Amino acid sequence: MTDRKILAEFSYDLKPLEKGYNRRTLYVNVGSKEIKSKPVSDMMIDKFVGGKGFDLYLMWHGVKDDTKWNDPENEICIGFGPLCGNTNYPGSGKSIVTTISPLTGIPVDCNVGGHFGPYAKFSGWDAIEIQGKAEEELIVFIDGDKGSVRILTAPDEEINSHILAEELIKEFADSPDKHQFVSVVSSGKGAEHVPISCLNFSFWDKRRKVARLKQAGRGGTGMVFRDKRIKALVVKFSGLKGDTNHPEDLETLQKTGLKLHREIEEGDSSQCHMREVGTAHLVEIMNDYDLLPIKNFKYGQMDEAKGLASWEFKKLFTQGMPDGCWYGCSLACCKAVDGFIPRSGPYKGKSVLVDGPEYETVGGCGSNLCIWDAKDVVELNFYCDTYGIDTISFGTSCAFAMECYEYGILNKERTGGIDLTWGNADAVFELIHQMARGEGFGVIVGQGVRKMKETFAREYGADPKLLQDMGMEAKGLEYSQYMSKESLAQQGGYTLALKGPQHDEAWLIFMDMVNNHIPTFEDKAEALHYFPMFRTWFGLQGLCKLPWNDIEPANNAETDEPAKVPEHVQNYVDIYTAITGKPLDKHELIRQSERVYNFQKAFCLRMGRGRRIDDVPPYRAVGPVTEEEYLSRAERYDKLLQEKQGIDPAGKSTAEKMALLRAFREDQYQQLIDAVYKRKGWTPEGVPTLEHLKNIGMDLPEVLEVVKRFL
Amino acid sequence: MKKVLMTYPQNCIACHACESVCSNLYFKVDDPAFSRIRITEAEPEPHMNACNQCGICVQTCPTLALTINSQGVVMLNKNLCISCYMCVASCPTGSMFRHLGGLAPFKCIACGSCTEACPADAISIAETKEI
């Protein structure tokens, strides 16, 4: 056992939470060592609900207008919504992490599984707010069995999560049979050096007898964590029961959950195969529909992609386990590779467990880099997780560097001898190990695409326009792994996302491009209003998105709005009321989200981003940047020129056709923004109107004061 | 070998005595909704539903609350159960139950109490390799 000193201790009364709320949040300043409880007011519950809403509210009052990611007053907030931790409805164990991002400078929010959130909530807290910067490495330990919070020294040698999480679980659990009641938040060595970093939330797998990890992946949460010199957050709670969140109506909660369990039992094997391969089942679907990112999002389809199809990962996954990241999730998507032996790095030749890979990791660390061997992707997944690196930003950043290498912007001299040709897995392994060691070209790549663009233009005289066109970032955050070129709605879903381009606001590719259900600007704007609001709701409540529409009722296609999965929307209305006792309908559900969404928008404005000028995608997300891209889909683009623009492509050069297409597509995107802003109640500059804020009940004085600066 | 409750629907006369014994034994009520064996009257013969100890629920349980004992019977440790009901949903024979107002699910553990009450030799306890 590690010898630890107690640097600060705070005791609190243990009391059962009622109807999903504790009505208090935990504040820890790791610099001053202050620990205190803050009350949760009715106003907070009414306007901010919980989860991401509480996070943003706490963080708003903790930071200043000019706070940077590494300022002591920057906060890491972890919120647990009122539905978080119930064991009855699948996908209910999510925490939401927010912080001022080192990549974007604005609030980033990550929805993450694992056991930390529910246990911290059941220990007595609706959210945790961490501020300050410590002078020495430390651990924050929440003992939900005894009612104490301690700040402890952390002389531990280990930092990498796959080892540290397991060590701490064994140290803080009362006995080996109670490992499941401890959860750890940690990062890794990579997060000390590069901003494309993440936090790992652990859960103890009783069958495999190992700590597993889920990631708060986007925006550099890990780097903020390590900059504060926090080695880990640890929580212990041993009293978990089926009604620990004390719902108002347990019967409805159980019946609704059981209904979905049965639907998953019947539908998973034919609808989404989550239990067999998790989200990796999307790889072959995306490739079939020309949507899988390949060569830094140049192409969407290649024959070689079959090397990364879900059946290749199925051979590696251990099957027949309840692979939920929280108890009671029968969708069981978080797959694992047992006994994996890395062929590179410090754990070369040692047997490790790897969580995943999920689809985003396969796209980012596989197809986008032309790495077609499933085992190489698993290895990158392992090292990303344990070093605390975001697989999405890592994949997109490496892809950008590889394309720069292809164009001669980079060469071996500039990369320190690394041959960044497409598909060179060994080179990518070296990049990630360099990130962990804090040395070499890997650290440059780890700064993310926006910083690389600046560096390569400044240092190597690269054409800034080309770099902007092909560098897949917006607001400073790297794009996640879907091709959006042929879906105007998805371009909006990505680039208008408040935190930066991530698919968790609106994933409209199929609605728009495959099914043609939203043909007009108004249709797309309506979808780009509804879906971000609906999906925001999961972050308020502590829920996972997957049980909403990855599995669908058998008769869903016959409903009025199949894309919304009306029966499941009603399930959420029912379980919210069953737990909180508060009335809700599907309209108020959207309004709950709208209040927090617009608050986050105002927060972005306050921190210096969030206007129209920040909602600009790189052209690679909109259309073909290079001639080879155009030619790869020449028939389609020629046809579009004729049909959409009334231009006869005959006799025109590829360059001329590309210019015409670009002018059209960029204009279409601007028209889309006009329609979306209008639907969202914002000015043409992307600023919420005072009238809209009043209508949705988010006309708080501090919000109006900020928004007025931009009107 | 596994110990299992064998059912013979062709002998069942749907008197529901087995349900009465079972619910009284485990829940102190005389109510078929609380019985671990369920009789549904149907033609040409009643449907008899009791756990065949197949163990699929054991694979489903996320907390290892369900285990198979030395006699091959699936047993529930209520102290480990967190009432997620994944076992209820995954049971292929519909013989893992939840009940109104309760937390832990329940199932037949082949105790044999019902066999003594059955007047028609429609139930017996057997040790078998096959389901």
Side-chain angles (χ1 to χ4, degrees):
Chain A
M1 181 160 304
T2 307
D3 185 23
R4 303 189 191 284
K5 293 177 192 160
I6 300 173
L7 300 176
E9 183 165 17
F10 171 79
S11 296
Y12 62 95
D13 294 334
L14 290 172
K15 58 179 183 180
L17 75 168
E18 287 297 331
K19 299 175 188 176
Y21 288 102
N22 291 289
R23 288 188 165 264
R24 63 187 177 191
T25 63
L26 175 64
Y27 174 86
V28 178
N29 191 310
V30 294
S32 67
K33 311 293 186 293
E34 181 187 12
I35 308 171
K36 65 182 177 184
S37 169
K38 289 184 177 180
V40 168
S41 65
D42 289 340
M43 184 282 290
M44 282 176 70
I45 291 175
D46 290 344
K47 293 196 186 295
F48 293 91
V49 185
K52 174 166 128 174
F54 281 11
D55 280 356
L56 291 169
Y57 178 80
L58 294 169
M59 203 163 75
W60 175 290
H61 293 97
V63 302
K64 297 180 283 199
D65 291 6
D66 60 352
T67 294
K68 300 291 182 282
W69 73 272
N70 55 353
D71 286 334
E73 70 265 20
N74 187 19
E75 298 195 334
I76 295 172
C77 293
I78 310 176
F80 330 110
L83 309 194
C84 171
N86 88 77
T87 54
N88 308 106
Y89 198 81
S92 296
K94 293 299 192 107
S95 313
I96 309 298
V97 180
T98 64
T99 191
I100 303 296
S101 161
L103 286 167
T104 65
I106 54 177
V108 66
D109 56 281
C110 302
N111 180 312
V112 56
H115 290 180
F116 184 86
Y119 287 165
K121 180 187 172 76
F122 295 150
S123 293
W125 308 105
D126 290 332
I128 297 173
E129 178 187 10
I130 297 172
Q131 198 174 39
K133 197 183 287 197
E135 292 174 0
E136 62 180 313
E137 296 279 352
L138 52 78
I139 286 171
V140 177
F141 172 46
I142 302 167
D143 188 336
D145 292 343
K146 294 181 178 171
S148 76
V149 181
R150 290 177 174 180
I151 299 177
L152 304 167
T153 56
D156 314 62
E157 285 184 16
E158 194 54 55
I159 293 173
N160 290 334
S161 281
H162 80 288
I163 296 175
L164 180 65
E166 195 150 317
E167 285 181 353
L168 293 177
I169 285 173
K170 289 175 178 172
E171 177 181 338
F172 285 93
D174 290 340
S175 56
D177 64 320
K178 294 189 175 176
H179 286 167
Q180 72 181 96
F181 299 128
V182 177
S183 178
V184 176
V185 178
S186 58
S187 191
K189 283 182 178 291
E192 296 179 355
H193 307 295
V194 298
I196 57 165
S197 58
C198 68
L199 289 176
N200 290 303
F201 282 52
S202 82
F203 63 106
W204 182 259
D205 187 327
K206 286 187 82 170
R207 280 188 171 75
R208 295 181 175 94
K209 295 182 174 56
V210 65
R212 298 180 60 189
L213 306 171
K214 299 297 284 184
Q215 288 73 37
R218 306 310 318 275
T221 55
M223 194 173 213
V224 179
F225 193 80
R226 292 300 297 136
D227 182 65
K228 291 182 179 300
R229 306 199 74 182
I230 304 170
K231 199 159 275 177
L233 310 177
V234 182
V235 67
K236 178 167 73 174
F237 176 78
S238 309
L240 179 67
K241 297 289 179 193
D243 61 350
T244 305
N245 54 0
H246 291 155
E248 166 85 1
D249 176 3
L250 182 63
E251 174 70 7
T252 297
L253 184 60
Q254 289 179 343
K255 279 172 66 176
T256 312
L258 184 53
K259 181 166 67 110
L260 185 59
H261 281 324
R262 287 186 167 134
E263 203 176 297
I264 292 169
E265 281 290 333
E266 291 167 8
D268 178 71
S269 59
S270 60
Q271 289 188 30
C272 56
H273 305 278
M274 286 287 179
R275 291 172 162 197
E276 296 168 33
V277 291
T279 56
H281 76 97
L282 285 167
V283 177
E284 54 267 27
I285 298 171
M286 292 301 110
N287 193 51
D288 287 347
Y289 282 95
D290 202 10
L291 295 168
L292 185 69
I294 294 169
K295 283 194 176 180
N296 193 28
F297 297 86
K298 268 188 196 173
Y299 311 119
Q301 193 172 61
M302 273 179 100
D303 286 343
E304 290 87 340
K306 63 180 180 294
L308 301 178
S310 62
W311 50 83
E312 296 298 331
F313 291 103
K314 190 176 177 182
K315 294 174 192 169
L316 305 174
F317 291 150
T318 37
Q319 297 287 325
M321 308 278 193
D323 272 322
C325 67
W326 174 240
Y327 300 120
C329 186
S330 43
L331 210 52
C333 74
C334 50
K335 310 311 297 179
V337 181
D338 281 304
F340 183 77
I341 312 242
R343 63 183 177 88
S344 74
Y347 306 107
K348 179 181 177 180
K350 296 176 181 171
S351 176
V352 297
L353 178 138
V354 188
D355 272 284
E358 297 190 49
Y359 165 77
E360 293 289 336
T361 304
V362 180
C365 299
S367 62
N368 220 359
L369 310 179
C370 293
I371 292 174
W372 306 116
D373 187 325
K375 286 187 176 176
D376 287 342
V377 175
V378 170
E379 181 151 345
L380 286 170
N381 194 157
F382 167 71
Y383 276 116
C384 277
D385 288 355
T386 202
Y387 289 158
I389 304 278
D390 170 19
T391 58
I392 296 175
S393 278
F394 176 80
T396 301
S397 297
C398 288
F400 175 75
M402 284 178 146
E403 190 169 357
C404 288
Y405 195 85
E406 182 184 16
Y407 297 158
I409 296 167
L410 297 174
N411 51 41
K412 277 191 179 178
E413 186 184 345
R414 291 169 179 172
T415 63
I418 299 175
D419 174 19
L420 281 179
T421 48
W422 295 110
N424 187 350
D426 291 335
V428 182
F429 290 160
E430 180 56 23
L431 288 179
I432 197 164
H433 297 316
Q434 287 186 355
M435 289 180 201
R437 297 195 300 267
E439 64 183 35
F441 189 69
V443 175
I444 305 290
V445 176
Q447 301 309 304
V449 172
R450 178 165 285 197
K451 281 277 167 52
M452 276 194 284
K453 286 193 294 193
E454 295 167 7
T455 303
F456 298 166
R458 185 182 65 244
E459 302 289 329
Y460 308 137
D463 176 6
K465 184 172 177 303
L466 174 64
L467 296 177
Q468 171 56 29
D469 280 354
M470 72 184 201
M472 290 294 284
E473 61 85 18
K475 301 184 179 76
L477 186 70
E478 288 70 28
Y479 274 68
S480 71
Q481 308 301 328
Y482 295 100
M483 291 279 284
S484 58
K485 284 180 200 170
E486 313 310 333
S487 167
L488 185 57
Q490 183 57 36
Q491 292 162 28
Y494 262 139
T495 315
L496 299 176
L498 293 180
K499 69 181 168 204
Q502 165 79 357
H503 54 283
D504 65 356
E505 274 205 13
W507 192 93
L508 300 173
I509 290 174
F510 269 45
M511 271 181 87
D512 188 27
M513 181 178 154
V514 179
N515 298 325
N516 198 28
H517 282 160
I518 44 177
T520 69
F521 284 115
E522 287 69 27
D523 294 333
K524 294 182 205 308
E526 182 57 36
L528 283 167
H529 174 258
Y530 179 84
F531 288 100
M533 298 309 158
F534 187 71
R535 295 173 78 150
T536 292
W537 198 75
F538 294 119
L540 304 185
Q541 305 295 346
L543 297 171
C544 172
K545 165 261 166 193
L546 294 182
W548 161 49
N549 69 347
D550 279 62
I551 194 86
E552 293 177 351
N555 66 346
N556 188 56
E558 298 158 21
T559 60
D560 291 344
E561 297 180 296
K564 295 181 179 175
V565 198
E567 185 179 322
H568 287 185
V569 173
Q570 188 59 42
N571 284 351
Y572 289 116
V573 167
D574 291 344
I575 65 168
Y576 173 85
T577 302
I579 290 179
T580 66
K582 291 172 177 286
L584 186 80
D585 61 24
K586 63 181 182 181
H587 305 295
E588 179 58 19
L589 182 157
I590 296 299
R591 286 173 65 82
Q592 281 188 334
S593 296
E594 224 173 346
R595 284 190 277 272
V596 175
Y597 190 89
N598 278 274
F599 183 81
Q600 186 171 352
K601 177 72 169 176
F603 205 160
C604 293
L605 290 165
R606 182 183 166 208
M607 305 309 291
R609 289 225 168 92
R611 292 176 299 149
R612 191 178 183 118
I613 196 172
D614 299 309
D615 285 345
V616 178
Y619 188 59
R620 177 62 58 72
V622 176
V625 170
T626 62
E627 290 206 3
E628 61 180 347
E629 274 173 272
Y630 189 99
L631 292 173
S632 74
R633 299 172 178 197
E635 193 176 337
R636 179 189 303 174
Y637 292 139
D638 283 354
K639 189 178 172 190
L640 287 172
L641 278 177
Q642 197 136 28
E643 291 180 354
K644 299 278 186 185
Q645 297 175 249
I647 295 169
D648 183 0
K652 291 189 167 49
S653 69
T654 303
E656 287 172 321
K657 290 190 288 187
M658 285 174 63
L660 290 163
L661 184 72
R662 180 166 187 158
F664 178 74
R665 289 196 167 195
E666 291 186 333
D667 179 64
Q668 292 272 298
Y669 179 76
Q670 292 303 325
Q671 289 189 57
L672 176 77
I673 291 187
D674 286 334
V676 174
Y677 284 178
K678 185 178 175 186
R679 176 62 186 88
K680 288 189 173 180
W682 298 349
T683 70
E685 276 303 301
V687 180
T689 65
L690 300 182
E691 182 186 14
H692 180 61
L693 290 171
K694 187 174 181 185
N695 285 342
I696 61 174
M698 192 36 78
D699 52 342
L700 298 173
E702 63 266 42
V703 175
L704 296 181
E705 190 272 318
V706 165
V707 168
K708 281 176 183 173
R709 294 183 215 162
F710 298 90
L711 289 173
Chain B
M1 296 296 285
K2 70 167 67 169
K3 186 178 163 193
V4 67
L5 190 71
M6 302 293 287
T7 57
Y8 307 95
Q10 68 275 21
N11 294 345
C12 180
I13 57 172
C15 69
H16 300 279
C18 54
E19 294 174 329
S20 176
V21 166
C22 184
S23 62
N24 269 299
L25 179 62
Y26 291 104
F27 291 98
K28 313 301 181 201
V29 293
D30 194 343
D31 184 344
F34 289 81
S35 173
R36 298 160 185 227
I37 178 170
R38 301 280 172 92
I39 308 301
T40 308
E41 291 174 36
E43 294 294 337
E45 56 196 26
H47 178 62
M48 306 181 74
N49 185 348
C51 175
N52 61 18
Q53 316 299 338
C54 72
I56 286 177
C57 56
V58 177
Q59 292 301 313
T60 308
C61 178
T63 61
L64 299 183
L66 288 160
T67 53
I68 299 175
N69 71 9
S70 58
Q71 293 181 298
V73 176
V74 174
M75 303 295 288
L76 173 72
N77 180 342
K78 288 183 183 177
N79 290 327
L80 296 179
C81 176
I82 43 89
S83 312
C84 67
Y85 299 117
M86 282 165 55
C87 55
V88 178
S90 66
C91 177
T93 60
S95 43
M96 177 70 81
F97 303 107
R98 67 176 282 271
H99 67 79
L100 192 66
L103 278 177
F106 60 99
K107 65 178 287 297
C108 174
I109 55 171
C111 74
S113 299
C114 55
T115 61
E116 296 168 15
C118 178
D121 291 332
I123 328 168
S124 69
I125 293 290
E127 288 196 347
T128 178
K129 285 183 181 174
E130 301 296 325
I131 294 170

